[in-house]
Amino acid sequence: MGKKTGSEFIKSLELKGVSRRDFLKFCGTAATMLGLSQLYAPKIAHAIESMSKRPPVVWLDFMECLGCTESFINATHPEVDKIILEILSLEYHEAVMAAAGDKAHQNLWNAVERENGELICVVEGAIATKIPSAITIGGMTSMAIMTKVAKASKAIISVGTCATHGGTQAASPNPTGAVGVEEFLRSQGINTPVINLPGCPVNPENIISTILHYLLLEKLPPLDSMSRPKNLYGATIHDNCPRRGHFDEGRFVETFGSKEESLGYCLYKVGCRGPSTYSNCPQVLWNNRQNWCIGAGAPCIGCFEPYFWDKFKDFYKPLPDVELLGVKTSADKIGIAIAAATAGGVAAHLIGSAVKGRLGKSGEGKGKEDKEE
Amino acid sequence: MANKRIVIDPITRIEGHLRIEVEIAGGKVVDAWNTTTLFRGYEMILKGREPRDAWHFSHRICGICPTSHGHAASMCLEDAYGVTPPDNARLIRNLMESSQLLYDHILWFYILNGFDYVDIVSALSAKPKTKTLKKVQERVKAFVDSGQLGFLGNAYWGHPEYKLPAELNLELTASYLKSLKIKSLANEAGAVFGGKFPYIISSPPGGVTCIPTLTQIADYQDKMLKVKDFIDDTLIPDLMAIAPYYLYLKDYGGSHKSYLSMGVLDAKNQDPYDRLFPRGAIMNGDLGNLQKVDLMKDIGEYVGHSWYTDRCGGGINPSEGITEPNFTGKEGIGEIDHEGRYDWTKAVRFKGKPAEGGPLAQMLIAYASGSEPAKKLVDGTLAAVGAPGQLDILFSALGRVVARVLKVKMVADAFPVWIDELVANIKRGDNNFYTDYDLASDATGVAGWDAPRGCITDYTTIKGGRLETWQAVPASTWNFSPRDDKGVRGPAEEALIGVPVQDPENPLEVLRIVHSYDP
């Protein structure tokens, strides 16, 4: 990336109708999103000012429902028009681009050729491997397009559970052989770095946080063993759930629409997957931080977890068993166990800590060796 | 001159993956084929699952209108379990549908469909009338001057089919940028009750999980009233401003003139024929003959031109439907077999005939059902464009564009009433938001509901407490169905016939027809 001076940059920004004040405010938001102190805002401002051109991004859509694009265009920190007009150069995105047909596809291949090695590739949707023509674009299969674009990309950001782990269509019996991007590329011996941002849909704040990290700090964020940024996927929903106190005290919703629901009790017994789901939902929420699933009285379905459609199926039934102080127990027993433990003088939060992160396979992210950049 | 075939793949600015091929002779389209280039196999995946899981899966059929798919699935299971959601649940579902509907149609008008009518490059040469417009123009100019055209590159700018003066192009560009914020605001309103958007989480079979506080209801109302202001002050004036330049779209794109609506937005009695947009069918433009819809008898599927085994077709009702893929095309679908199988979509038919869903169908059926607001809006608009009483000009591409905006207006006027009803219920002490029920071991269910872009029907059979079958017929299966076994084209294919194409290298006119269905 070439450099230019700060004053040149501000001048060009002002021409775009963005004031210096707006810009610094944006940098402050960026700092917060990266988990940095506000003191970093001037550094971020400097990093952006030094960019001579907007970084080129291509967004590929494969086996998906466009929900992740829809989620992305709801971005509010910063708003999506700023992202596509002033921050990134969105070279290809079927759902928003003006061109169509061959002319649209030409934009993709032009970007691949022109920006070879500099391209950031965002992928929404899974790759079809068993029925390759279950997804085609411009006469090419997802396998063919992904292979070609991956080779020209500096990094790939897989957004949403379809792109990270095959998603909905990969649920058993996976009729089309849908797989996530990382799995597909590695099977082809392609080693382009992949960042996984699972979620059904992806949270727009997580996309922006990742892109900003990459642009401003010029490196990938620290990743766990499943290539997820540690700062975004490091804790379970249960760890940070505002209803956690009710869990610890054994107060549960047993039926929707009940008095317990209106009191905001814990949703564990109606199927909440929060204890097994690594996600920053409780902090960033959704739709301009308006609300989230648990806030609407509904149990988390664990959509940030790989293979959640199968791993967590029977969504309205409680997680089959929970390891509590080393002993596996069922939902019905949990309240009793907690009551007994509390009576015995054990602090409720201690039991809570014993429960967290021990369910199903989702512990993988913590147990195994982590990836660094 | 020999006929020329052109392929547009990918069709951009849509949900999903679509390939369109048209044959042109004498400057007009004489034949057309649509191909959905995505197959996921939902029906196969749902078999054997806990029935209520289907409502979560169904959202993922379409990430642009997931709320409707979710509600259709819940209603299908409510039918199977014999449970009726309480009135408060009906109202909250209507409110979540409304926020989805307003966002969806605003998104369509400006972001998905807008570039077919608005030349953003021409906007650069406009004389801005206001400071705001000047700022927008400078912003676009800086973007263009950067040389990085990105998502605006390689398009049809300067095409003679762009008819608006530079000033209007600029105004619509400003509205485009504004609409991005407004549509997100509508989604925020939906998230007040739904938890998030896309994929609201709070409407499982039986009712809603959220028990809203008055503050939350006020929050929803405040946000939606801002969206309503945008509709009244920007969207409708924008439509009326550009309409005179594109009135000629009344002359083509009419398709079979057969319209179908499953109905959407429930009335208190939860009767599909009393919905804000009622259930019904109008065939061959015969507005005087409004037909009822029997979901078990009138709907059948054909696969003579689709990539499924023959036993999936033959006119069977989706309640007995089968999904068995049988891809016979070339890898990558570069070329299609025009006479044979060419689509991942089945051909669904109403009483054996193709029919289209979506705002035009919804408005016409509401009109024919005697809906006062629909009559007022349709008649008023026809008078405003100098064609009073000429309903038949709506059987066209123009009709689809206009109907979508009128429908937005109708919903924007309706949601405040549902808020009032909800508050009145709560005031009366009605705190029922969910009806509990027993999970039947063996049952069948069916439901019809409309997504913003057309009909959804869901059919299920439950055996031993698990899903034996689940068949979903989503909106684009109706509108973008291929030829049926008799060789009759699907609605969008038929709509393309007769469309003039000035420059086959830049088939903007074709895109307009495709986008008029909001696939």
Side-chain angles (χ1 to χ4, degrees):
Chain A
M1 232 176 265
K3 306 278 178 190
K4 65 176 170 186
T5 66
S7 59
E8 273 171 355
F9 174 80
I10 291 301
K11 209 174 147 193
S12 70
L13 212 54
E14 278 165 355
L15 275 174
K16 293 170 190 165
V18 180
S19 71
R20 173 82 194 165
R21 196 168 154 268
D22 282 348
F23 175 65
L24 288 176
K25 199 172 136 199
F26 161 72
C27 295
T29 313
T32 310
M33 294 195 56
L34 293 172
L36 303 171
S37 145
Q38 287 296 312
L39 295 173
Y40 278 84
K43 284 191 177 177
I44 289 171
H46 179 73
I48 297 184
E49 285 166 9
S50 306
M51 289 176 192
S52 63
K53 67 173 195 179
R54 286 174 282 121
V57 174
V58 294
W59 181 301
L60 304 179
D61 277 293
F62 295 126
M63 306 182 88
E64 40 70 31
C65 70
L66 211 65
C68 289
T69 285
E70 174 48 38
S71 190
F72 173 66
I73 60 176
N74 278 333
T76 42
H77 312 85
E79 281 163 332
V80 70
D81 58 320
K82 270 202 186 76
I83 301 170
I84 61 176
L85 288 178
E86 275 97 27
I87 299 176
L88 302 176
S89 184
L90 190 57
E91 304 289 332
Y92 184 84
H93 190 320
E94 285 159 34
V96 298
M97 67 195 302
D102 290 346
K103 292 185 124 192
H105 234 208
Q106 202 51 52
N107 283 8
L108 175 62
W109 304 124
N110 287 347
V112 162
E113 199 173 307
R114 193 180 61 235
E115 310 291 352
N116 192 358
E118 288 300 314
L119 206 56
I120 300 170
C121 173
V122 178
V123 185
E124 170 180 17
I127 311 287
T129 60
K130 194 169 117 194
I131 308 180
S133 296
I135 169 65
T136 72
I137 298 149
M140 290 173 77
T141 64
S142 57
M143 294 200 290
I145 296 171
M146 192 67 252
T147 302
K148 206 168 158 185
V149 177
K151 286 179 179 165
S153 299
K154 199 172 181 178
I156 293 167
I157 306 175
S158 291
V159 302
T161 310
C162 295
T164 63
H165 297 90
T168 320
Q169 47 278 320
S172 172
N174 193 353
T176 54
V179 300
V181 172
E182 191 175 29
E183 182 184 336
F184 169 71
L185 291 178
R186 301 306 175 246
S187 76
Q188 304 294 305
I190 299 168
N191 292 314
T192 313
V194 173
I195 304 168
N196 283 326
L197 302 178
C200 188
V202 68
N203 194 311
E205 297 213 22
N206 291 348
I207 300 184
I208 291 166
S209 162
T210 303
I211 291 179
L212 288 178
H213 197 288
Y214 186 66
L215 293 183
L216 305 183
L217 308 182
E218 295 184 356
K219 58 182 179 183
L220 302 183
L223 304 177
D224 66 17
S225 65
M226 283 191 273
S227 307
R228 303 176 296 190
K230 281 193 215 167
N231 61 329
L232 308 176
Y233 294 82
T236 67
I237 284 189
H238 193 63
D239 284 339
N240 293 307
C241 183
R243 298 192 182 200
R244 176 58 182 269
H246 294 300
F247 175 88
D248 291 348
E249 294 296 326
R251 292 189 293 254
F252 297 101
V253 173
E254 311 261 353
T255 315
F256 297 126
S258 60
K259 185 166 170 261
E260 289 73 23
E261 173 55 63
S262 63
L263 292 167
Y265 283 3
C266 174
L267 295 159
Y268 175 73
K269 286 192 179 181
V270 283
C272 187
R273 270 42 174 164
S276 302
T277 302
Y278 284 84
S279 159
N280 58 350
C281 283
Q283 289 93 2
V284 297
L285 307 177
W286 293 85
N287 302 95
N288 200 15
R289 309 198 170 185
Q290 176 72 47
N291 204 354
W292 66 315
C293 297
I294 288 169
C300 163
I301 63 168
C303 75
F304 273 48
E305 285 295 307
Y307 315 112
F308 74 97
W309 291 111
D310 288 334
K311 188 165 87 177
F312 289 154
K313 68 182 181 186
D314 294 23
F315 291 108
Y316 290 107
K317 293 185 179 154
L319 281 166
D321 47 40
V322 170
E323 197 172 300
L324 184 69
L325 294 176
V327 182
K328 288 214 171 191
T329 185
S330 69
D332 288 336
K333 289 181 194 154
I334 241 188
I336 301 164
I338 286 170
T342 309
V346 182
H349 68 85
L350 177 68
I351 296 163
S353 323
V355 171
K356 83 175 175 194
R358 300 262 178 87
L359 309 170
K361 287 183 176 172
S362 69
E364 280 171 20
K366 289 207 155 171
K368 289 188 187 171
E369 202 181 318
D370 289 341
K371 285 185 197 171
E372 290 288 349
E373 280 112 284
Chain B
M1 204 172 75
N3 292 5
K4 186 179 170 66
R5 280 185 181 164
I6 55 170
V7 174
I8 312 179
D9 179 13
I11 294 284
T12 48
R13 288 178 275 123
I14 62 166
E15 188 286 307
H17 298 271
L18 187 61
R19 173 196 192 275
I20 295 284
E21 181 165 349
V22 292
E23 186 171 309
I24 297 171
K28 283 188 175 175
V29 174
V30 293
D31 211 345
W33 297 263
N34 53 227
T35 303
T36 299
T37 63
L38 171 64
F39 167 74
R40 287 176 289 181
Y42 268 90
E43 288 87 352
M44 300 158 85
I45 290 165
L46 281 167
K47 187 177 162 68
R49 290 183 190 263
E50 209 269 350
R52 290 171 298 173
D53 287 8
W55 112 272
H56 287 307
F57 270 93
S58 295
H59 285 86
R60 279 75 182 177
I61 289 175
C62 172
I64 298 294
C65 53
T67 305
S68 309
H69 282 280
H71 281 150
S74 274
M75 292 165 119
C76 179
L77 291 164
E78 281 157 3
D79 184 51
Y81 292 137
V83 58
T84 306
D87 195 49
N88 288 332
R90 166 191 72 97
L91 291 164
I92 287 180
R93 286 180 180 184
N94 276 359
L95 293 175
M96 291 190 288
E97 284 282 346
S98 300
S99 67
Q100 178 195 257
L101 208 144
L102 297 191
Y103 118 78
D104 178 283
H105 289 352
I106 290 170
L107 176 86
W108 173 83
F109 188 83
Y110 292 105
I111 294 153
L112 304 179
N113 177 65
F115 290 149
D116 294 350
Y117 300 92
V118 177
D119 185 341
I120 203 163
V121 173
S122 146
L124 294 176
S125 57
K127 290 193 186 96
K129 283 183 234 158
T130 65
K131 267 190 187 165
T132 311
L133 288 173
K134 189 158 186 287
K135 258 186 155 175
V136 168
Q137 192 183 42
E138 282 167 356
R139 203 172 169 203
V140 174
K141 187 169 184 306
F143 180 85
V144 172
D145 287 348
S146 75
Q148 290 182 277
L149 285 180
F151 72 108
L152 297 180
N154 217 6
Y156 302 141
W157 314 129
H159 194 291
E161 273 291 314
Y162 286 115
K163 306 286 190 193
L164 303 181
E167 281 68 26
L168 256 185
N169 280 319
L170 178 59
E171 279 188 41
L172 270 284
T173 303
S175 301
Y176 177 101
L177 293 171
K178 207 163 142 193
S179 76
L180 281 165
K181 299 185 202 324
I182 292 295
K183 66 151 275 295
S184 295
L185 191 65
N187 290 336
E188 285 168 32
V192 171
F193 304 124
K196 67 178 183 312
F197 186 91
Y199 320 138
I200 58 156
I201 192 98
S202 59
S203 292
V208 293
T209 61
C210 58
I211 301 178
T213 61
L214 290 176
T215 318
Q216 285 174 316
I217 296 170
D219 189 8
Y220 172 93
Q221 175 170 265
D222 179 59
K223 289 185 163 74
M224 286 289 277
L225 287 177
K226 284 182 185 141
V227 177
K228 184 171 154 63
D229 282 347
F230 175 83
I231 290 161
D232 289 336
D233 303 340
T234 305
L235 176 65
I236 292 170
D238 280 349
L239 173 76
M240 296 317 282
I242 68 168
Y245 299 91
Y246 293 116
L247 263 187
Y248 62 89
L249 264 76
K250 69 179 170 41
D251 297 332
Y252 49 81
S255 191
H256 299 288
K257 302 181 186 178
S258 292
Y259 306 98
L260 182 66
S261 171
M262 292 300 148
V264 68
L265 297 166
D266 258 330
K268 198 170 175 71
N269 63 9
Q270 300 188 30
D271 180 335
Y273 293 95
D274 287 334
R275 290 173 179 165
L276 182 70
F277 298 99
R279 184 171 293 176
I282 292 168
M283 302 304 281
N284 307 312
D286 186 358
L287 285 166
N289 182 19
L290 179 66
Q291 303 184 36
K292 299 260 180 198
V293 179
D294 186 329
L295 298 178
M296 304 303 282
K297 288 185 184 146
D298 294 338
I299 297 169
E301 293 185 310
Y302 300 85
V303 297
H305 294 278
S306 311
W307 289 312
Y308 297 94
T309 57
D310 283 334
R311 68 191 201 102
C312 302
I316 49 173
N317 182 261
S319 61
E320 297 166 353
I322 304 163
T323 301
E324 226 168 44
N326 175 35
F327 183 70
T328 55
K330 290 182 183 162
E331 182 157 310
I333 320 181
E335 293 166 32
I336 55 164
D337 178 0
H338 297 86
E339 308 304 320
R341 299 180 193 271
Y342 64 90
D343 203 346
W344 276 119
T345 299
K346 296 176 184 175
V348 61
R349 295 293 183 261
F350 175 74
K351 295 183 180 171
K353 301 272 169 50
E356 66 179 76
L360 178 57
Q362 291 158 343
M363 287 304 292
L364 288 174
I365 289 161
Y367 189 99
S369 303
S371 155
E372 280 305 319
K375 269 186 84 72
K376 210 176 130 195
L377 281 166
V378 170
D379 291 341
T381 306
L382 288 173
V385 299
Q390 293 176 44
L391 275 155
D392 56 334
I393 72 163
L394 296 175
F395 303 153
S396 64
L398 178 80
R400 274 182 222 103
V401 176
V402 170
R404 203 166 249 109
V405 176
L406 297 185
K407 185 183 150 200
V408 167
K409 175 66 180 156
M410 202 157 134
V411 173
D413 289 341
F415 79 78
V417 179
W418 295 319
I419 295 175
D420 290 347
E421 286 183 45
L422 179 62
V423 173
N425 281 356
I426 293 170
K427 198 172 169 188
R428 238 192 352 259
D430 176 358
N431 287 318
N432 299 316
F433 289 84
Y434 182 83
T435 309
D436 208 10
Y437 51 94
D438 292 325
L439 296 174
S441 175
D442 298 288
T444 57
V446 61
W449 186 248
D450 265 12
R453 54 197 43 68
C455 307
I456 302 173
T457 41
D458 283 340
Y459 298 82
T460 190
T461 313
I462 299 168
K463 278 206 177 129
R466 312 300 284 187
L467 289 177
E468 177 69 14
T469 61
W470 186 277
Q471 286 284 326
V473 187
S476 290
T477 308
W478 286 97
N479 299 342
F480 285 83
S481 71
R483 285 155 172 74
D484 55 33
D485 294 2
K486 292 179 207 150
V488 180
R489 294 183 197 96
E493 290 178 334
E494 185 66 23
L496 285 162
I497 307 303
V499 172
V501 178
Q502 298 194 35
D503 173 8
E505 299 297 314
N506 296 291
L508 181 58
E509 302 92 329
V510 173
L511 269 190
R512 282 181 182 168
I513 302 300
V514 174
H515 283 147
S516 76
Y517 284 99
D518 188 15

